[in-house]
Amino acid sequence: MDWTAQIDSYCERLGPGFWAEPVNAITNGAFLCAALIVWRSNRNTPLTRTLCIILFVIGIGSTLFHTFATRWAALADTLPIAAFILTYLYAINRHSLGWPLWAAALCTLAFLPYAAGVFAVLSNVPFLRISGGYWAVPILLIFYASVLRNRQPALAVGFVAGAAILSLSISLRSLDAMLCASFPVGTHFLWHLLNATMLAIMIAVYRRHMLEAAPAGR
């Protein structure tokens, strides 16, 4: 595989140049800002600073992809996103739900075949198949919210809010090529802005839950 091969995936990109996607590239600053803001407000709850670091790396990886637009840059873009999802899921399973280490780790790894299954199902559904792999996350958030709605209602509300923001973000990502003729800059930059907001909120939701649970000895 040629890792330096160029990728043209988004409406804004019209050529192979480094600044061929200026809006998509610059809006990755939202991830960096979100990571720094949440880092400063962190109070040393388990894994929150790790999540902040990964959020910062997401911004760097996405910037690389929207400037170099190569296969290696695409990997730099997607791997940190996967790392954030798995780390966050483990944090919820282990520290919020109080599962033993083996169960938290096993259910975290189960996300991979689950996401593959969601992608396979949605690959046959018009519009949803455009960003099929990402829909696994809001679906899972809604599932967790439904399970926790009585036991931990504040956490459940946070998950629903995150799922709603992410669903809008994924929809706008999917509309990028469809609206290109009438909106040449595309809609992918809104995916960046909304995702940065959503991920910061999800870290804050988790941190708040951990701080509130601390007096109870969790």
Side-chain angles (χ1 to χ4, degrees):
M1 178 182 290
D2 182 5
W3 289 100
T4 63
Q6 289 284 309
I7 298 175
D8 183 1
S9 300
Y10 302 105
C11 173
E12 188 183 15
R13 178 163 288 274
L14 299 177
F18 185 86
W19 286 114
E21 295 179 59
V23 177
N24 284 346
I26 291 172
T27 50
N28 285 301
F31 292 106
L32 309 182
C33 292
L36 293 174
I37 290 171
V38 180
W39 177 280
R40 292 185 62 183
S41 62
N42 173 55
R43 287 181 54 189
N44 197 31
T45 51
L47 290 178
T48 50
R49 290 205 161 174
T50 300
L51 289 167
C52 290
I53 292 171
I54 299 174
L55 178 54
F56 194 90
V57 175
I58 287 174
I60 295 174
S62 186
T63 301
L64 291 173
F65 183 45
H66 291 290
T67 49
F68 290 97
T70 56
R71 285 178 176 167
W72 68 261
L75 196 63
D77 177 37
T78 55
L79 285 181
I81 296 174
F84 187 98
I85 294 170
L86 294 175
T87 302
Y88 192 90
L89 185 56
Y90 174 80
I92 294 298
N93 290 339
R94 175 65 173 155
H95 299 296
S96 294
L97 300 181
W99 292 355
L101 176 63
W102 68 268
L106 184 62
C107 288
T108 298
L109 292 176
F111 175 83
L112 299 176
Y114 154 73
V118 171
F119 177 78
V121 171
L122 296 185
S123 63
N124 297 314
V125 181
F127 184 73
L128 295 182
R129 65 187 178 192
I130 299 174
S131 301
Y134 288 107
W135 286 108
V137 178
I139 293 172
L140 188 61
L141 285 172
I142 292 298
F143 171 76
Y144 267 72
S146 66
V147 172
L148 296 172
R149 67 185 185 280
N150 294 323
R151 178 182 170 188
Q152 297 169 357
L155 193 59
V157 169
F159 287 171
V160 171
I165 296 171
L166 184 56
S167 295
L168 175 60
S169 178
I170 295 172
S171 298
L172 289 168
R173 180 186 187 275
S174 302
L175 287 169
D176 183 68
M178 297 171 65
L179 299 179
C180 194
S182 56
F183 193 50
V185 73
T187 58
H188 190 77
F189 74 97
L190 296 172
W191 156 266
H192 293 162
L193 299 178
L194 287 171
N195 275 5
T197 301
M198 180 266 182
L199 295 178
I201 289 174
M202 296 311 296
I203 296 174
V205 165
Y206 166 69
R207 185 188 66 235
R208 182 184 64 187
H209 169 76
M210 292 303 298
L211 291 173
E212 291 175 350
R218 294 181 188 178

